[in-house]
Each structure stands twice: as C-alpha cells, then as structure tokens.
Amino acid sequence: MGTGAGSLLLFLFLGLAGSAGPAHFGFRVLAYRHQLDRGINFAPGTEDGGWGYSWWLMRWRHRAAGDKNLDFFGGITAGSGWLTLAGAAGVIALIALQ
C-alpha cells in the first residue's frame, strides 16, 4: 500500500470507526441498564439489548420516553453509532477501491 491520499483516508476512517465503535457499544450498555433500572418500557424487539436496540437508539427513538438521562446515554450512543457506521463504510469503500 502506498502513502497516497487513499492510505491517509483509510487510516482516518479506521480511526473514526475504531474510536466511535467502543463509545457506541459502551454507552449502549449504559442506556440499556438505565432503561432497565428505571423501568422504562422497551420497544418491541429491543428487550434483549442487541442490534435492534442499537438501531432503535441510532434512530433517536429513545426521546419518546422523556427521560433526561436516557436522552444523554442514548444521544451519545446514537451519535457514535452513526460515526462508526460512516467510518466502517469508508473503510470498506476504500479497501474496495484499492
């Protein structure tokens, strides 16, 4: 692999996905635990805290609960989830182009 613009972009996308990914998964756990502890109802299909729960958070559906703390955890989860998705898509696209 050369040291051109593609390599720099690949490095940047890997860094984006590599830093936002752990934040997404960590704050997803915090949001899930908070929702369990406060007894806030789960949307159908999100009770297990898996991929469906991540997608639910990334679409900002947690705001309907009206809980400020869940908004905080869910907002960070959503933002970092979208950044992770953008970084992963960039990595895949750059690898495919090289």
Side-chain angles (χ1 to χ4, degrees), residues 6 66 79 84:
T84 302

Side-chain angles (χ1 to χ4, degrees), residues 3-97:
T3 57
S7 296
L8 177 62
L9 281 174
L10 184 60
F11 177 74
L12 291 175
F13 278 123
L14 278 171
L16 179 64
S19 61
H24 171 75
F25 291 111
F27 275 95
R28 182 183 75 178
V29 169
L30 291 174
Y32 182 75
R33 284 302 311 171
H34 178 75
Q35 198 166 349
L36 275 177
D37 292 345
R38 292 282 170 100
I40 299 170
N41 291 332
F42 287 94
T46 64
E47 299 89 358
D48 64 349
W51 291 108
Y53 189 69
S54 282
W55 185 241
W56 180 77
L57 288 169
M58 287 173 61
R59 290 179 298 149
W60 299 90
R61 305 285 188 202
H62 59 278
R63 297 223 169 190
D67 186 79
K68 294 275 187 200
N69 294 322
L70 184 60
D71 282 347
F72 174 74
F73 294 135
I76 293 176
T77 302
S80 59
W82 285 113
L83 288 173
T84 302
L85 188 61
V91 166
I92 291 168
L94 287 171
I95 289 174
L97 291 173

